[in-house]
Amino acid sequence: MTRILEQLYDSANDRFRLWRNQEYASQQASYSQAIHNYMEKLTDEQRSELDNLISRRNYLNSIEQGYFFVEGFRMGAMLMSEIYDNNEGREN
């Protein structure tokens, strides 16, 4: 089982290095420029309101991502346990 977990960890590490992903980098640069240009058009009060809304959305995103990560990991662990248990039963 340890080898499977090591492979999952290594694979996830390689896949989620967003700074290496050209599409992500391009989209992030485009978004950053667009949001900067938009914010320049706003009054200080409007900018503050938008900052607060974006912060609240980012906070909710982090809660959602954490939940789905934990649930996905839990389901993956249950699946691996089930497969392992089924394979153990065949050997006996």
Side-chain angles (χ1 to χ4, degrees):
M1 270 317 225
T2 303
R3 185 71 185 130
I4 292 172
L5 292 177
E6 287 173 2
Q7 288 175 359
L8 285 172
Y9 177 79
D10 291 342
S11 176
N13 247 358
D14 290 340
R15 268 190 233 139
F16 295 112
R17 293 190 181 170
L18 292 178
W19 56 91
R20 291 183 182 175
N21 183 312
Q22 290 179 349
E23 180 184 3
Y24 176 82
S26 173
Q27 290 293 325
Q28 179 62 29
S30 175
Y31 169 79
S32 293
Q33 188 61 48
I35 199 74
H36 175 76
N37 292 342
Y38 182 77
M39 297 281 277
E40 290 295 313
K41 298 176 187 176
L42 301 176
T43 66
D44 288 343
E45 184 178 333
Q46 290 170 326
R47 192 176 300 123
S48 179
E49 279 183 57
L50 183 58
D51 271 341
N52 288 335
L53 288 172
I54 291 171
S55 291
R56 288 171 59 192
R57 182 67 252 174
N58 287 341
Y59 177 71
L60 291 172
N61 283 344
S62 69
I63 292 172
E64 292 166 358
Q65 290 170 351
Y67 171 80
F68 288 117
F69 174 82
V70 169
E71 284 302 301
F73 189 87
R74 184 181 66 79
M75 291 175 71
M78 288 172 41
L79 178 63
M80 286 190 298
S81 291
E82 185 176 323
I83 291 169
Y84 181 77
D85 288 345
N86 286 341
N87 287 339
E88 284 291 310
R90 289 184 186 152
E91 291 176 9
N92 291 334

